[in-house]
Amino acid sequence: MSSANTSPPGNCKFAIPKKGRLYEKVAAMLKGSGIEYHREPRLDVALCKDLPITLIFLPASDIAQYVGEGNVDIGITGWDVVQESLVDVDRVLDLGFGKCKLCVQAPVANNITDVSTLAGGRIVTSFPELTKKFFGPIDAEKGVETKVKFVGGSVEAACGLGLADAVVDLVETGTTMRAAGLEVVTEILATEAILIANKKSEHRDIVDLLKRRLEGIIAANKYVMISYNISNELLHDALKITPGKKSPNITALDDGKFKAVSALVAKKESNNKMDELHDMGATDILTFEVTNTRM
């Protein structure tokens, strides 16, 4: 390996997904968190500009293993990958994206409602460890052995090809599952993208810094700042609509008859709150995007 594709001694090694939707989400979060880097073409290592961090771009399915074994200090991957990898790591922060469920799925035509009826059958999956863990107690109770076969992709095709009685796969919207003529029999695990750290990492200060910065981005994405003017007589009722996260900021206007109010409100509620404020007599109602925060 060339020196251009290595980490300087003493740097915290941070593994992130190297491509796909997960990479795009992570890259956007890092940019918003002030984690700046330049990645050379064809290289899977990049140095951060202002922090002693080396970014290492890996397949998401490998990141938990690397973090668990101490090859890298921290990483971002799915909770499902952590569980499948059988590693003991610190679950530092849930990132709120990449949410889906690992489910047992069977052909709709078979009308299977009791997952125990699949015990002893053939299951195809990309998650053999989690699948064996799930069916293990059922097998023990029924005195059978479920045959679990690993495939790296196109899991949903296994039943239609006669390779499996059911599959265990991730379900996000369910579109792929339904197109393959499958339905959920039961859920095994809820998952999302998470920040993980090696329990023996010497870079706890960097781990804490990253957690704090990412928490700021997550919080900023949930809120907007709303600002408006309201008469003194209506102020009490207006504050019921915009109580703020802790409390609103209130400033008296020069005429003495009005107050200027600003408060954080949930982004998904902002339009309704603007309507309520308008209807009660507030004026100059504005909302502002929050790009980052420390709360």
Side-chain angles (χ1 to χ4, degrees), residues 5-295:
N5 214 28
T6 59
S7 175
N11 266 25
C12 177
K13 300 183 185 72
F14 183 8
I16 66 172
K18 67 187 300 182
K19 60 182 179 180
R21 286 184 298 172
L22 202 56
Y23 163 75
E24 293 170 1
K25 288 278 191 179
V26 171
M29 288 195 80
L30 294 182
K31 182 178 180 180
S33 302
I35 311 298
E36 298 182 8
Y37 62 91
H38 174 69
R39 182 184 181 186
E40 294 289 346
R42 301 182 181 276
L43 291 185
D44 290 331
V45 169
L47 302 181
C48 293
K49 292 182 179 179
D50 300 318
L51 291 167
I53 297 174
T54 301
L55 290 176
I56 301 174
F57 301 86
L58 297 170
S61 58
D62 294 339
I63 289 175
Q65 197 74 43
Y66 277 85
V67 174
E69 294 178 355
N71 304 111
V72 297
D73 298 282
I74 50 181
I76 292 177
T77 189
W79 178 237
D80 55 305
V81 175
V82 175
Q83 293 291 287
E84 177 65 23
S85 300
L86 302 177
V87 293
D88 184 21
V89 296
D90 283 337
R91 184 171 181 168
V92 178
L93 183 65
D94 294 354
L95 299 178
F97 61 86
K99 292 184 177 182
C100 51
K101 296 177 180 179
L102 185 66
C103 299
V104 180
Q105 305 166 36
V108 174
N110 293 352
N111 193 30
I112 296 173
T113 57
D114 181 0
V115 71
S116 67
T117 62
L118 293 169
R122 302 167 301 157
I123 309 293
V124 165
T125 183
S126 297
F127 298 87
E129 296 298 336
L130 284 170
T131 302
K132 292 172 185 176
K133 181 180 179 181
F134 176 79
F135 278 100
I138 304 174
D139 286 357
E141 182 179 341
K142 299 187 72 172
V144 297
E145 181 180 357
T146 301
K147 303 170 188 64
V148 178
K149 182 176 181 179
F150 171 81
V151 296
S154 299
V155 174
E156 70 282 350
C159 291
L161 294 173
L163 301 176
D165 303 304
V167 301
V168 171
D169 201 10
L170 293 172
V171 178
E172 185 175 3
T173 64
T175 301
T176 302
M177 175 185 69
R178 290 188 291 271
L182 304 174
E183 63 182 353
V184 171
V185 179
T186 193
E187 177 187 327
I188 294 178
L189 179 76
T191 183
E192 65 179 286
I194 62 173
L195 177 69
I196 59 174
N198 180 272
K199 291 192 170 185
K200 296 181 180 179
S201 172
E202 298 177 353
H203 299 280
R204 298 308 304 186
D205 55 336
I206 297 294
V207 174
D208 292 340
L209 175 67
L210 283 170
K211 178 184 179 184
R212 188 162 61 248
R213 289 194 179 190
L214 292 174
E215 283 175 333
I217 293 296
I218 293 168
N221 288 335
K222 291 180 180 179
Y223 295 96
V224 294
M225 183 67 74
I226 192 167
S227 173
Y228 59 92
N229 295 332
I230 192 76
S231 67
N232 294 336
E233 294 79 11
L234 297 174
L235 177 63
H236 179 73
D237 290 335
L239 296 185
K240 292 179 182 178
I241 300 173
T242 59
K245 198 168 186 298
K246 291 183 179 178
S247 66
N249 294 320
I250 304 171
T251 306
L253 299 186
D254 287 344
D255 65 2
K257 298 178 181 180
F258 285 82
K259 296 290 192 297
V261 179
S262 59
L264 282 175
V265 299
K267 185 178 291 187
K268 62 183 179 182
E269 299 173 359
S270 61
N271 281 300
N272 287 337
K273 289 187 179 292
M274 292 179 77
D275 292 336
E276 291 181 62
L277 289 168
H278 176 270
D279 291 345
M280 76 179 305
T283 61
D284 308 310
I285 306 167
L286 305 171
T287 58
F288 303 91
E289 291 289 335
V290 180
T291 59
N292 207 333
T293 182
R294 301 290 185 274
M295 292 188 182

